């Protein structure tokens, strides 16, 4: 018999553990404004939050979703949702909890596997506290090598962006839809370009995060280096580490 738990179970474990711990520490509380992320790790966190709301242990929560996936989940679980610019939220959040595709030892992240990086970054960077939850497969030495960096781009600029990116020595692909012919269209009506550095590349995600956004047509990239998160990471032995 194996003593290890699957990656899927690790996602649920880390999501529930993080929500429970943040509530016990008073960092998730009634009346707060919370950003909720996208993806298969964020969804069990949304569900756990909804359980506390349904039991009356959390009241008057105002959530901001960064994607249709999260909006729909909040509607299904009766979590009240608002836009970041609504009067209730007024452009800033108390806490955002979200997943990540990669986390390095300095807590820099790659995000955007679910194509929601643009609004995920907006809510994360406008939160007092940013919390990232992930399973152990998300922990990496170098970002952008195993998991490609997603970039949200204006469709019209795809070829000019590719030409500019040639000097970075990356491979690039416009992300295609699954069970939809042609490119993925983001929740904001744009394309996603996935770029990947060679295995031996020395990359500086802090520098690249701002540099890439200076290329005309790039709206946002999936490096998150400007808002160091509190990280919860689950392991296959059933433990959850914090750093
Ligand atoms: C979506 C994201 C997700 O947080 C990231 O892709 C991780 O997803 P999952 O929890 O499903 O592994 O950035 O844009």
């Amino acid at each position: 018999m194996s003593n290890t738990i699957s990656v899927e179970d690790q996602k649920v474990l880390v999501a529930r553990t993080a929500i429970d711990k943040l509530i016990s520490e008073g960092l998730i509380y009634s009346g707060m404004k919370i950003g909720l992320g996208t993806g298969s790790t964020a969804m069990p966190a949304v569900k756990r939050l909804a359980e506390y709301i349904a039991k009356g242990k959390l009241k008057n929560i105002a959530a901001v979703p960064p994607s249709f996936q999260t909006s729909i989940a909040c509607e299904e679980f009766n979590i009240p949702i608002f836009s970041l610019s609504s009067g209730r939220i007024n452009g800033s959040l108390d806490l955002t909890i979200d997943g990540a595709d990669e986390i390095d030892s300095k807590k820099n992240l790659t995000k955007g596997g679910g194509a929601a990086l643009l609004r995920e970054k907006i809510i994360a960077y406008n939160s007092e506290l940013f919390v990232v939850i992930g399973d152990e497969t998300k922990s990496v030495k170098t970002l952008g090598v195993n998991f490609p960096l997603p970039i949200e781009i204006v469709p019209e600029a795809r070829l000019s962006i590719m030409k500019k990116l040639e000097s970075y020595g990356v491979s690039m692909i416009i992300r295609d839809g699954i069970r939809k012919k042609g490119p993925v269209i983001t929740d904001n009506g744009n394309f996603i370009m996935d770029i990947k550095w060679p295995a031996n590349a020395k990359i500086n995600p802090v520098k690249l995060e701002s540099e890439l956004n200076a290329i005309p047509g790039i709206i946002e990239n999936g490096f998150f280096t400007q808002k160091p998160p509190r990280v919860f990471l689950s392991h296959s032995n059933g433990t959850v580490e914090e750093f």
Side-chain angles (χ1 to χ4, degrees), residues 11 38-42 98-101 111-117 120 138:
K11 290 179 188 222
T38 307
S40 56
T41 319
D98 201 350
D101 297 301
K111 284 183 52 56
L117 66 104
E120 286 175 341
K138 305 297 178 69

Side-chain angles (χ1 to χ4, degrees), residues 7-8 11 37-44 66-67 69 98-102 110-118 120 133-135 137-138 147 150 175 222 224:
V7 169
E8 284 320 304
K11 290 179 188 222
T38 307
S40 56
T41 319
M43 285 307 108
S67 63
Q69 184 196 39
D98 201 350
D101 297 301
E102 295 186 325
T110 306
K111 284 183 52 56
L117 66 104
L118 172 59
E120 286 175 341
I133 49 179
D135 61 84
T137 66
K138 305 297 178 69
F147 191 93
R175 193 184 300 178
F224 283 52

Side-chain angles (χ1 to χ4, degrees), residues 81-133:
I81 53 173
F82 296 83
S83 113
L84 186 64
S85 293
S86 60
R88 171 74 171 88
I89 304 294
N90 198 23
S92 63
L93 293 158
D94 299 307
L95 179 149
T96 285
I97 182 163
D98 201 350
D101 297 301
E102 295 186 325
I103 308 166
D104 74 11
S105 58
K106 293 184 179 145
K107 304 211 256 188
N108 295 317
L109 313 173
T110 306
K111 284 183 52 56
L117 66 104
L118 172 59
R119 286 200 275 148
E120 286 175 341
K121 191 178 283 191
I122 293 170
I123 63 170
Y125 282 19
N126 286 293
S127 294
E128 183 76 22
L129 178 64
F130 180 33
V131 176
V132 165
I133 49 179

